[in-house]
Amino acid sequence: MAFSLIGDDTAQFIAPTPIPDPYWVAVSPRAAELIQLPLGADRLPIDPDWLAVLAGNRLEVGDIAFPNPMATVYSGHQFGHWAGQLGDGRAILLGDLHGQELQLKGAGITRYSRMGDGRAVLRSSIREFLCSEAMHALGIPTTRALSVVGSKQGVRRETMETAAVCARLAPSFIRIGHFEHFAALGSTQRLRELANDLIQNHYPECQHKNGPFLELFKAISERSAKLVAHWQAVGFCHGVLNSDNISALGLTMDYGPFGFLDHTALNHICNHTDTGGRYAYHRQPQIMHWNMACLANAMIPLIEKESPSEDAADLLRGALSAFPPSYEAHWLTLFRKKLGLEAEASGDMNLIEHLLQLMHANRADFTTTFRLLAAIEKNASALDSGWRDQFADREGADEWLNMYRIRLEQENTTDDQRKIQMNRVNPKYILRNHLAQQAIVLAQADDFSGVNTLLDILSNPFDEQPAYDAYAQAPLPNEVVTDLSCSS
Ligand code: AMP
Ligand code: MG
């Protein structure tokens, strides 16, 4: 467990509050592998005691025991404003298993629950479970989800719903908000412990350099820049990029009102509570940069001690300025791959931007458009039509296609090679909100087949799965999910 967070001022040692009559909703076989948890043919843990453990009702199973479950304290900026102390208000860390921390979200009230009930609902737990595993399969750094366990216990949100517990896994759940918390308290000792914990356990490359704390800042910022480039490349909108939801390990974390772009709107806001669009799709890179500024600010006391002869704020400002070019470089690399481009040509950025603007203007489906682009050959053919059909503005589409074909002349790959490479990076299947919603509605009626089917499809997002073609389709107008809020 994060040793830097063990202490009376940093955490509360508290057992989860049991939930009545827990039942399995789903288990992720790949996440189970991570902690070497054996599953049976029914895809559930062979040892039935795991149900009680992952419900928060029991603290040992076989020869594994979790003697010190705990909730940690952090603070943070929410929607651009300092929110003061927050903390694990409904997440309880059970302990470590094979290098992963096992945390139960929705495990009951802690010292940090404030006005909350410590619970999570089935709906949001299924969404977090599916998206964590889908993101991992897409090759995007993320906390993982091992299981969802349900209970008929009622939980009040906008309407009455039922409780669930999502078991999450990550090498560490340390957030930018942890740094901000100790910085706000003026506790440089705690900040140092936190930074050393990260360096020792997660950023060993920072250990031997002069100024390891500045190196740590650079490394976190670099991972975060890469992470947000990944999000942009699959059309993922996080929805609540508050600094308390930003991992210090560069993982996607705290899935709430997230959404993938369907009909492309670059200013898409997936969280309807976010009326100003602070966390809209096209603002995510800027916002991640802003969150890194929060981290830099929190780390000033560490850098002051580390480099007393220099201006700590200046050093951090310098390090922070590496974020935009790093993000841009990752973005360009990822989008070049999406277009099947191996060479680097100076006009590539414009070519990609032009395509995104065209998709935006035509509300082309983000995932389908990139997936179908692989069918385009160096010479115009009947295969063009699938891709062109994504655009009402055929002239605009053809204009772009011409530029793309001219650009392809600089490539040494054959059409077939390019198609294979593009299909490895442009998913066919993503967790579309309407699909998650359909699985949730079934699960709310105790049918978990929809959750498990989606989990299986999304575990192989780049493969053609002909039986599941319908799951690759954009939502019909009546299927679009429009009212996702922070309520979870
Ligand atoms: P989130 O918006 O889920 O990232 O949560 C922001 C803060 O509110 C975190 O400190 C959470 O632990 C806390 N929180 C959210 N929902 C609840 C709840 N139902 N009960 C207690 N705390 C909660
Ligand atoms: Mg959160």
Side-chain angles (χ1 to χ4, degrees), residues 74 175 244-245 254:
Y74 52 82
R175 304 150 187 266
D244 55 299
N245 289 340
D254 278 14

Side-chain angles (χ1 to χ4, degrees), residues 70-74 86-92 103 110 112-113 175:
M70 68 179 200
T72 71
V73 67
Y74 52 82
L86 303 163
D88 295 324
R90 54 175 170 169
I92 292 180
Q103 190 191 60
T110 74
Y112 314 112
S113 298
R175 304 150 187 266

Side-chain angles (χ1 to χ4, degrees), residues 119-162:
R119 291 300 181 196
V121 296
L122 181 63
R123 163 180 56 84
S124 66
S125 304
I126 289 174
R127 283 171 53 82
E128 171 141 20
F129 173 80
L130 287 175
C131 202
S132 305
E133 295 306 282
M135 290 291 264
H136 173 71
L138 288 168
I140 301 177
T142 176
T143 61
R144 302 292 299 277
L146 174 62
S147 59
V148 176
V149 168
S151 163
K152 289 299 169 194
Q153 186 175 71
V155 175
R156 178 161 293 285
R157 294 292 180 262
E158 276 97 349
T159 59
M160 207 57 189
E161 302 188 47
T162 59

Side-chain angles (χ1 to χ4, degrees), residues 367-375 423 426-428 461-464:
T367 305
T368 311
T369 303
F370 281 108
R371 183 74 179 186
L372 289 178
L373 192 60
N423 282 345
N426 292 313
K428 173 147 183 174
F462 302 109
D463 294 353
E464 291 292 332

Side-chain angles (χ1 to χ4, degrees), residues 74-104:
Y74 52 82
S75 293
H77 283 83
Q78 299 188 317
F79 290 91
H81 302 285
W82 177 243
Q85 182 183 309
L86 303 163
D88 295 324
R90 54 175 170 169
I92 292 180
L93 205 52
L94 290 188
D96 289 325
L97 280 175
H98 300 281
Q100 299 286 322
E101 290 185 352
L102 173 60
Q103 190 191 60
L104 301 185

Side-chain angles (χ1 to χ4, degrees), residues 464-483:
E464 291 292 332
Q465 302 177 52
Y468 295 115
D469 265 355
Y471 290 79
Q473 304 302 316
L476 298 170
N478 64 325
E479 291 175 327
V480 174
V481 179
T482 52
D483 59 347

Side-chain angles (χ1 to χ4, degrees), residues 195-377:
N196 279 329
D197 182 346
L198 282 173
I199 292 171
Q200 278 178 35
N201 295 308
H202 310 288
Y203 290 91
E205 69 278 14
C206 299
Q207 211 147 27
H208 301 295
K209 303 214 171 111
N210 303 332
F213 294 145
L214 187 62
E215 290 303 318
L216 175 66
F217 173 77
K218 290 179 188 167
I220 295 174
S221 183
E222 164 60 17
R223 280 199 201 177
S224 305
K226 190 170 183 181
L227 177 66
V228 75
H230 269 296
W231 291 348
Q232 302 307 95
V234 294
F236 174 77
C237 308
H238 181 285
V240 199
L241 289 177
N242 294 337
S243 61
D244 55 299
N245 289 340
I246 307 296
S247 153
L249 264 54
L251 307 173
T252 314
M253 82 179 322
D254 278 14
Y255 292 89
F258 66 82
F260 286 83
L261 296 181
D262 292 310
H263 301 292
T264 305
L266 299 175
N267 54 352
H268 178 65
I269 304 165
C270 61
N271 173 2
H272 88 155
T273 321
D274 179 16
T275 45
R278 179 179 169 85
Y279 299 138
Y281 170 78
H282 67 314
R283 297 203 61 192
Q284 295 189 118
Q286 247 176 292
I287 290 292
M288 187 61 94
H289 188 205
W290 192 90
N291 281 314
M292 291 302 115
C294 291
L295 174 63
N297 203 33
M299 289 182 78
I300 287 176
L302 293 180
I303 310 301
E304 275 171 350
K305 290 254 162 51
E306 180 172 82
S307 306
S309 61
E310 299 190 62
D311 185 315
D314 271 355
L315 287 175
L316 283 159
R317 241 191 306 277
L320 190 60
S321 68
F323 184 100
S326 163
Y327 162 73
E328 200 166 282
H330 287 301
W331 182 93
L332 197 51
T333 300
L334 291 171
F335 274 90
R336 272 201 183 106
K337 285 193 181 147
K338 288 177 79 69
L339 265 60
L341 305 176
E342 286 189 342
E344 296 181 8
S346 58
D348 289 349
M349 172 87 86
N350 282 342
L351 185 71
I352 299 163
E353 289 283 7
H354 188 146
L355 174 59
L356 289 171
Q357 291 299 335
L358 192 68
M359 289 164 65
H360 173 84
N362 288 268
R363 293 292 185 264
D365 181 72
F366 190 92
T367 305
T368 311
T369 303
F370 281 108
R371 183 74 179 186
L372 289 178
L373 192 60
I376 298 294
E377 302 195 330

Side-chain angles (χ1 to χ4, degrees), residues 435-451:
L435 299 177
Q437 193 53 36
Q438 288 161 8
I440 288 165
V441 169
L442 283 180
Q444 286 169 336
D446 298 324
D447 176 352
F448 309 120
S449 61
V451 176

